[in-house]
Amino acid sequence: MPYNLLILPLLGGYWLMKMSYRFRFIHQQLDRTHLLIWSSIAGFLLLFAARAIVTVMVWLFPEIAAHIKANWLSMEYLCTGQLAFLLGPISALWLNIYDD
């Protein structure tokens, strides 16, 4: 994965930490460096989940994956980064709904 796409999972991890009720108090008490570490850990987990989803989608739809790889060079990695970014707020909302 190109290194400039790793900022997207980091931002997704930050939004997960900021939006989730479970992590809100932790987010407010952390200083800058610890917030960066917690956000990068959450972003790594989001990246792992996004990569698993993209791998399953490539496995289920190989003709679409071949078309994407033929026309766009690193589109698969870009989709993984964007999905990891989107999974942050989505998982925060999901945790807020089911966190009782």
Side-chain angles (χ1 to χ4, degrees):
M1 172 177 262
Y3 295 122
N4 59 352
L5 294 178
L6 291 177
I7 192 72
L8 294 173
L10 180 65
L11 290 173
Y14 174 75
W15 281 106
L16 173 67
M17 294 286 296
K18 186 166 177 66
M19 292 177 63
S20 176
Y21 296 146
R22 181 175 291 183
F23 301 119
R24 179 172 291 176
F25 296 113
I26 296 171
H27 173 266
Q28 291 174 353
Q29 294 175 352
L30 294 174
D31 58 353
R32 282 186 271 174
T33 56
H34 288 99
L35 179 61
L36 182 63
I37 290 171
W38 277 77
S39 297
S40 61
I41 290 171
F44 175 74
L45 295 174
L46 292 173
L47 182 67
F48 182 74
R51 188 66 191 155
I53 291 171
V54 168
T55 302
V56 168
M57 295 302 286
V58 166
W59 182 67
L60 288 176
F61 305 108
E63 63 277 352
I64 296 174
H67 175 70
I68 288 174
K69 286 183 180 179
N71 292 330
W72 298 289
L73 247 71
S74 64
M75 189 65 171
E76 186 175 345
Y77 295 124
L78 181 63
C79 291
T80 303
Q82 288 175 344
L83 184 61
F85 174 70
L86 291 175
L87 280 178
I90 290 171
S91 60
L93 293 174
W94 184 76
L95 281 172
N96 290 342
I97 290 172
Y98 293 108
D99 192 30
D100 290 331

